[in-house]
Amino acid sequence: MSLPSFYGDVPRHLVAVDCIIFGFEDGKLKLLIMKRKVDPMAGAWSLVGGFVKQEESTADAATRVLRQTTGIHDIYMDQLQCYGDVHRDTGARVISVAYYALIRISEHDRMLANAHGAHWLALHQIPELIFDHNRMLQDALTRLRDEARFHPIGFELLPEKFSLPQLRNLYEEIYQRPLDKRNFRKKILAMDIMEKLDEKDKSTSKKGAHLYRFDHKKYKALTEHGFVFEI
């Protein structure tokens, strides 16, 4: 594509998207990372990403990358920030727009992810990543914690049906600290934003724990009347 004359002398840079993809499995908050396939730093661990195509917005590019890697079309995704340090990519002058995403690991196509060389690792297992990807991860964790405190985005990481211990465990993983069992239970039930089901999770005890489902309609109705979610 030819450039208008008034853009002719302006430097042209590559634009990429990098996706910080969080999931929750086996009681651990996990990150989807992959082995880089091209130089520079081929074979090193990297976030999932790619370059923005000519007719794509950065959001469209991130959605494409997420879909190609996980097989999921409807993913919770939000823009994190732009990373534009001059020497951030040793291969070229690349400006990256980072997005963080929350997915239910049970719903993604694990074979598809494996075909792309992608793997789920718990946060304490994350190795050194290429370029500034570790910084992106830390920025995304900070954003996730801020958002999870005042918005029910944590439910995006859980299966449709979940127990209160699973929910508390998730928030303990997000905040990386223990939460008082009684206080958490009392606070979350008082919000009245979950539907209690006639089913139990008996994977951890014979008595079992009741299963719940997040009620999107009730939550939306409550917010229209001034309700504020906070954990």
Side-chain angles (χ1 to χ4, degrees):
M1 182 181 71
S2 61
L3 294 174
S5 59
F6 47 88
Y7 288 152
D9 296 327
V10 177
R12 302 180 71 181
H13 309 306
L14 296 172
V15 179
V17 291
D18 286 297
C19 300
I20 303 95
I21 309 171
F22 293 114
F24 183 66
E25 183 181 50
D26 300 327
K28 296 295 182 182
L29 186 64
K30 296 185 176 182
L31 178 73
L32 189 65
I33 59 176
M34 62 192 303
K35 289 288 187 73
R36 185 173 168 89
K37 296 181 179 180
V38 297
D39 282 323
M41 302 187 75
W45 287 105
S46 167
L47 294 173
V48 177
F51 289 103
V52 180
K53 295 181 179 180
Q54 188 67 43
E55 301 302 324
E56 284 183 320
S57 67
T58 56
D60 287 342
T63 299
R64 170 177 54 81
V65 167
L66 288 166
R67 184 176 63 250
Q68 289 176 344
T69 310
T70 68
I72 302 177
H73 290 260
D74 186 17
I75 296 178
Y76 179 94
M77 180 186 77
D78 197 11
Q79 186 179 125
L80 182 61
Q81 67 182 64
C82 178
Y83 295 82
D85 289 352
V86 175
H87 302 295
R88 60 167 301 275
D89 188 320
T90 58
R93 179 73 169 100
V94 181
I95 296 171
S96 179
V97 181
Y99 290 80
Y100 79 96
L102 309 178
I103 76 171
R104 295 182 175 94
I105 293 181
S106 61
E107 295 180 3
H108 94 294
D109 189 331
R110 195 176 289 273
M111 291 184 64
L112 181 62
N114 289 340
H116 283 82
H119 303 272
W120 287 104
L121 295 180
L123 295 183
H124 71 276
Q125 298 175 316
I126 302 301
E128 187 66 27
L129 304 176
I130 65 168
F131 308 146
D132 51 2
H133 288 194
N134 283 94
R135 176 188 167 192
M136 292 181 182
L137 171 58
Q138 292 306 313
D139 289 345
L141 283 169
T142 298
R143 174 72 68 82
L144 175 60
R145 288 162 186 158
D146 289 344
E147 289 293 313
R149 182 179 178 187
F150 295 108
H151 301 90
I153 63 171
F155 294 101
E156 299 289 342
L157 292 163
L158 291 168
E160 181 185 0
K161 301 175 183 179
F162 53 86
S163 68
L164 289 181
Q166 284 179 306
L167 181 61
R168 188 184 77 256
N169 183 198
L170 169 62
Y171 277 91
E172 288 178 333
E173 278 291 298
I174 291 175
Y175 295 136
Q176 290 292 288
R177 60 179 175 84
L179 299 175
D180 183 84
K181 180 179 179 180
R182 288 187 179 181
N183 288 342
F184 181 86
R185 179 184 178 89
K186 181 179 179 181
K187 193 169 189 177
I188 196 69
L189 290 179
M191 293 182 190
D192 195 27
I193 56 173
M194 301 186 304
E195 175 190 358
K196 188 175 182 179
L197 306 175
D198 293 326
E199 302 175 51
K200 285 188 175 183
D201 171 22
K202 295 188 177 182
S203 61
T204 58
S205 69
K206 291 183 178 180
K207 182 179 179 181
H210 275 288
L211 293 177
Y212 292 79
R213 180 163 45 209
F214 178 62
D215 193 326
H216 293 271
K217 290 183 178 179
K218 182 176 285 188
Y219 171 72
K220 183 177 180 181
L222 287 171
T223 57
E224 291 174 353
H225 290 87
F227 170 79
V228 177
F229 177 93
E230 182 178 0
I231 291 184

